Amino acid sequence: MERIVQGMDITEVLKTVRGGDGYYITNTARDLSQSDFKNRILLHTDLLAASARERANYFSLEITGGASIHVDILRKQVDPFLKLELLREKMPNTMFQTLCRGVNLFGYRPYPQNVIRLTVREFAKYVDVWRVFDFLNYIPNMEAVFEEVQKAGKILEPCICFSTGPEHTDAYYVSKVREIVAVTGTDILLCIKNHGGLGTPARIGRLVAAIRDTWPDMVIHYHGHNTDGNDIGRITAAVMNGARIVDAADHAFTGYYGPPPILSVVQALKEQGHDAIGVDEAAVIETSEVLRGERQHYEIFESQFKGFSPTVQIHKLPGGAMGSSFEQAVKGEFLDRMPEILHTELPRVQTELGNYWSVTPGSQILWTTAVSNVLTGDRYSNASGDLKNLLLGKYGPFPFYRPADWIYEKIFGVDWQRILEEEGGLEDIADVDITAERAELAKKLGHEPSEQELVIYLQHPNDAVEFYKFEARFGRAYVLPPSIFLRTGGFKLGETLKFKDHKGKEHVIEIGPEARDEEGIWNVYLNVDHHERVYQFQEEVAGTTAAAAVQLSREEIEELATIGDLRAPFAANVCEILAGEGQEVKKGDRLLIVEAMKMQTPIVSPMNGVVVSISVEVGKAVKIGDKLVLVKEPE
């Protein structure tokens, strides 16, 4: 058996897969991290597992893409490109795979065409297999990525996102594959993306068979989640009906919401007479033996709610949204409302909004809408900016049917038909001035940015700048293991920390002593590998902490808005400020944009007037009722 290795072109890969006696496995480590650990599995841990994963002989390793690139810079302090470089050193043969959201790339909303193409070209230097999807299965939203991947000579894997319901027929999905093939040709892998773990094994088997009836030589790659505990059954049905590649993950880290265990898949299919081509089971086991001791350090990121969730067939939330939904419910103190949200309101919203596919960013739109409907008791009264864009067709046309008129009227008002006619349709996003953006980034960083820095900045501008400044000040934190990087409870004076970096080199950090100078500045001494470092901290003076803000009710926030005192309608981050103090604005003008659960909501002026003050900055987190902007009518 010839091993599939990085550097093979699509023709050679297809020939090898079609000629193999069995099926191949993709290790979806990235999706496992996102679904069960909120994307927090560190590079240090992946590097520990790299040698064993390399020997396991997988078809590919999904190790980047989706939300991971954003979380890399936002929460893990690691450069997404450096991660790929370091893993490639330890895994010279394994193909690296990414998940790309089409026109949304590795973000949450559509990007300009020149940003899309630049991003794909840069990541294609490191990524071999490109799994590309669109949450509306709208093929034009993926075409720019398709073109750039094929130009780069990489392996293109377009997706059909799968769900259930009367509209989701084999005939529909076959028509979508036909649209894809018309654009890409047949030299592709085709992914059935069952991100929610929906349907029965029989249903997945019928879909694979229907596609192969039309394209007998099509190489089908099945991806699913094990939320209901039944994905090994779906995988088995897929392979028995002709799928040639399937997804699974390392058993030491598998949970409830991500892919099932690799070894369990291998064992189940072997009994059915189907072998995992080339997979070294000893290396699969060794990987989990290496990883098992690391899992304890990630416990804080696992969902508080254990056990499989067969009700996913009702609410259809994908793995990545499951854990975060319960986390939000705990923080927002509406855990007692979750059964109503998941099992009554969310399915209702899905049906009302067109029964499209619950995957980023569509899953966030469905989730936040359902939560708002339940908590406010006034359905569709607090529509996010992204829900409005969905209704206006900014993401693409609804695949089956448009929501009812009363929803448009509730969200846009009695004049909704004029708004839909004037503002509806796909947004024509103009190309950005790359040269100007590079100059702006250079100004913010204080040096000429690399192409990689520019690519990350163009997708996540505020977080990218913060990350690169952090790295310039503190160095590269990826050498820290999760036992140090993710430690909770603080560090004690006199404590000695010992750890090994990813290369096996031992390090020692000795904490303390500390001393306060005459000005009240605390000097804390650290010995890092026997080199002394001193860090200074200003002592917090008792009584200077601001009094806890009084939380305003929704009604009070709305009442204040009528007089121009705009407050945060929910906990969020300020991602863009569009107006300046002293600026004249008209009723309905956007003043700033806040973001929560990856959804953006504009804060608009309630009147014609002047912006008197802006109380927030870009990147600032705000709580419900926090002051945002004050607008006054001109005297």
Side-chain angles (χ1 to χ4, degrees):
M1 189 280 301
E2 181 183 0
R3 179 177 178 179
I4 292 173
V5 297
Q6 71 100 10
M8 283 184 171
D9 64 25
I10 184 64
T11 303
E12 193 174 3
V13 168
L14 291 174
K15 180 181 178 181
T16 304
V17 173
R18 288 169 179 153
D21 184 16
Y23 66 98
Y24 290 83
I25 290 180
T26 286
N27 184 325
T28 48
R30 191 281 315 167
D31 201 11
L32 175 71
S33 175
Q34 180 164 327
S35 297
D36 286 305
F37 299 93
K38 299 182 177 65
N39 253 319
R40 294 307 209 286
I41 294 178
L42 300 179
L43 172 59
H44 188 282
T45 298
D46 284 323
L47 287 167
L48 287 179
S51 295
R53 282 175 174 166
E54 169 76 354
R55 293 195 303 277
N57 294 340
Y58 297 119
F59 173 80
S60 60
L61 173 71
E62 187 185 272
I63 199 62
T64 189
S68 73
I69 288 168
H70 187 208
V71 181
D72 279 348
I73 63 172
L74 183 65
R75 299 284 182 244
K76 297 190 287 188
Q77 305 332 120
V78 65
D79 186 323
F81 287 103
L82 176 65
K83 176 172 78 172
L84 294 171
E85 290 174 8
L86 293 173
L87 286 169
R88 177 56 71 207
E89 290 176 7
K90 291 202 168 196
M91 305 183 73
N93 293 313
T94 304
M95 293 201 299
F96 288 166
Q97 180 171 305
T98 190
L99 177 70
C100 179
R101 299 162 176 163
V103 54
N104 300 317
L105 287 174
F106 307 119
Y108 315 107
R109 53 202 49 86
Y111 289 98
Q113 288 285 300
N114 61 342
V115 171
I116 294 170
R117 294 178 184 278
L118 176 63
T119 299
V120 175
R121 287 197 298 270
E122 197 62 32
F123 271 96
K125 296 174 183 176
Y126 303 88
V127 175
D128 307 287
V129 182
W130 285 74
R131 177 176 288 172
V132 188
F133 77 93
D134 179 74
F135 82 99
L136 292 175
N137 274 334
Y138 186 55
I139 310 307
N141 280 346
M142 301 186 277
E143 288 184 8
V145 178
F146 290 171
E147 290 174 8
E148 291 301 326
V149 170
Q150 291 184 315
K151 282 180 186 177
K154 300 300 182 178
I155 314 301
L156 177 62
E157 185 173 295
C159 295
I160 50 170
C161 294
F162 174 78
S163 189
T164 53
E167 302 84 10
H168 296 263
T169 63
D170 288 343
Y172 170 79
Y173 286 115
V174 167
S175 74
K176 285 285 119 179
V177 178
R178 187 170 285 109
E179 286 183 44
I180 289 171
V181 170
V183 174
T184 66
T186 55
D187 282 351
I188 58 171
L189 309 178
L190 178 75
C191 178
I192 297 174
K193 181 173 169 55
N194 190 5
H195 42 272
L198 301 177
T200 63
R203 175 70 192 94
I204 295 300
R206 289 196 301 271
L207 177 57
V208 172
I211 295 170
R212 283 178 52 79
D213 282 347
T214 307
W215 297 274
D217 291 332
M218 181 72 72
V219 174
I220 296 175
H221 190 162
Y222 173 78
H223 165 79
H225 284 203
N226 203 34
T227 308
D228 65 348
N230 204 21
D231 208 52
I232 293 177
R234 288 184 286 264
I235 287 172
T236 300
V239 171
M240 292 180 70
N241 281 276
R244 301 307 302 269
I245 314 169
V246 299
D247 284 0
D250 298 296
H251 56 268
F253 265 45
T254 47
Y256 305 102
Y257 308 134
I262 292 164
L263 204 57
S264 299
V265 170
V266 172
Q267 292 165 348
L269 278 163
K270 188 178 293 183
E271 191 71 14
Q272 298 291 336
H274 297 271
D275 292 325
I277 298 174
V279 169
D280 185 330
E281 292 183 32
V284 173
I285 294 170
E286 181 186 341
T287 304
S288 279
E289 288 173 346
V290 169
L291 290 174
R292 194 171 300 283
E294 300 297 298
R295 184 165 182 161
Q296 60 182 314
H297 307 302
Y298 296 99
E299 183 178 8
I300 189 173
F301 301 114
E302 294 193 61
S303 174
Q304 308 95 314
F305 299 88
K306 311 300 183 185
F308 294 111
S309 179
T311 58
V312 69
Q313 305 299 331
I314 300 171
H315 60 70
K316 301 181 182 179
L317 276 183
M322 283 295 297
S324 59
S325 67
F326 282 111
E327 183 180 44
Q328 287 179 47
V330 171
K331 291 180 178 178
E333 299 181 348
F334 59 87
L335 188 60
D336 59 316
R337 309 296 297 276
M338 283 294 278
E340 179 185 358
I341 293 169
L342 289 175
H343 304 146
T344 302
E345 185 60 22
L346 191 48
R348 188 179 176 190
V349 167
Q350 286 171 337
T351 301
E352 290 172 346
L353 294 186
N355 199 19
Y356 64 81
W357 295 267
S358 184
V359 63
T360 303
S363 53
Q364 285 84 0
I365 295 174
L366 293 170
W367 164 252
T368 54
T369 302
V371 170
S372 176
N373 287 355
V374 168
L375 297 188
T376 64
D378 187 3
R379 303 184 76 241
Y380 297 104
S381 64
N382 190 26
S384 68
D386 292 280
L387 173 56
K388 292 178 180 178
N389 284 336
L390 175 73
L391 294 172
L392 290 172
K394 300 300 182 186
Y395 292 104
F398 284 96
F400 304 119
Y401 54 87
R402 197 184 76 180
D405 292 353
W406 71 265
I407 294 178
Y408 280 87
E409 184 169 350
K410 185 66 177 286
I411 291 174
F412 294 106
V414 294
D415 213 15
W416 67 269
Q417 290 176 308
R418 179 190 60 78
I419 293 172
L420 184 60
E421 184 177 342
E422 293 179 357
E423 302 180 23
L426 276 169
E427 190 172 359
D428 185 15
I429 304 174
D431 283 353
V432 300
D433 186 333
I434 298 291
T435 301
E437 293 293 333
R438 182 181 281 108
E440 180 65 20
L441 180 56
K443 185 168 65 175
K444 291 178 178 178
L445 296 181
H447 67 260
E448 188 66 23
S450 68
E451 204 75 350
Q452 295 176 355
E453 288 173 326
L454 177 63
V455 161
I456 301 299
Y457 170 75
L458 289 171
Q459 291 172 86
H460 306 290
N462 300 321
D463 295 328
V465 170
E466 290 299 313
F467 165 71
Y468 292 123
K469 286 182 176 179
F470 173 93
E471 194 172 68
R473 181 180 178 189
F474 297 108
R476 289 174 166 171
Y478 73 85
V479 298
L480 295 173
S483 59
I484 305 297
F485 191 92
L486 300 175
R487 175 171 168 156
T488 59
F491 302 92
K492 298 177 182 178
L493 288 177
E495 187 173 6
T496 299
L497 307 173
K498 296 181 180 180
F499 65 92
K500 291 182 180 181
D501 63 23
H502 66 282
K503 292 184 177 179
K505 181 180 178 181
E506 291 191 349
H507 300 273
V508 177
I509 301 175
E510 298 172 302
I511 301 175
E514 64 180 10
R516 185 172 63 176
D517 62 23
E518 296 177 353
E519 298 179 356
I521 303 295
W522 283 96
N523 294 280
V524 179
Y525 295 83
L526 297 183
N527 262 324
V528 181
D529 291 343
H530 311 295
H531 296 281
E532 186 175 84
R533 308 282 179 89
V534 182
Y535 295 90
Q536 294 185 328
F537 298 91
Q538 177 73 52
E539 184 172 20
E540 189 175 276
V541 179
T544 60
T545 303
V550 177
Q551 184 168 312
L552 300 175
S553 68
R554 175 170 168 266
E555 291 74 18
E556 289 170 324
I557 291 172
E558 291 176 350
E559 186 175 344
L560 287 169
T562 63
I563 58 172
D565 185 356
L566 299 170
R567 305 295 186 101
F570 42 76
N573 290 312
V574 178
C575 59
E576 194 171 356
I577 295 176
L578 304 171
E581 292 183 356
Q583 179 178 332
E584 291 188 6
V585 294
K586 296 180 180 179
K587 182 178 180 180
D589 282 355
R590 294 185 172 197
L591 305 178
L592 54 83
I593 297 175
V594 297
E595 183 177 71
M597 187 57 182
K598 304 173 187 174
M599 295 291 100
Q600 293 189 347
T601 299
I603 304 299
V604 302
S605 178
M607 62 184 71
N608 297 333
V610 176
V611 177
V612 176
S613 63
I614 299 175
S615 302
V616 292
E617 299 174 350
V618 171
K620 180 179 179 180
V622 294
K623 300 185 294 295
I624 295 174
D626 281 357
K627 292 183 177 182
L628 299 176
V629 182
L630 181 62
V631 178
K632 287 191 175 181
E633 293 178 338
E635 297 179 358

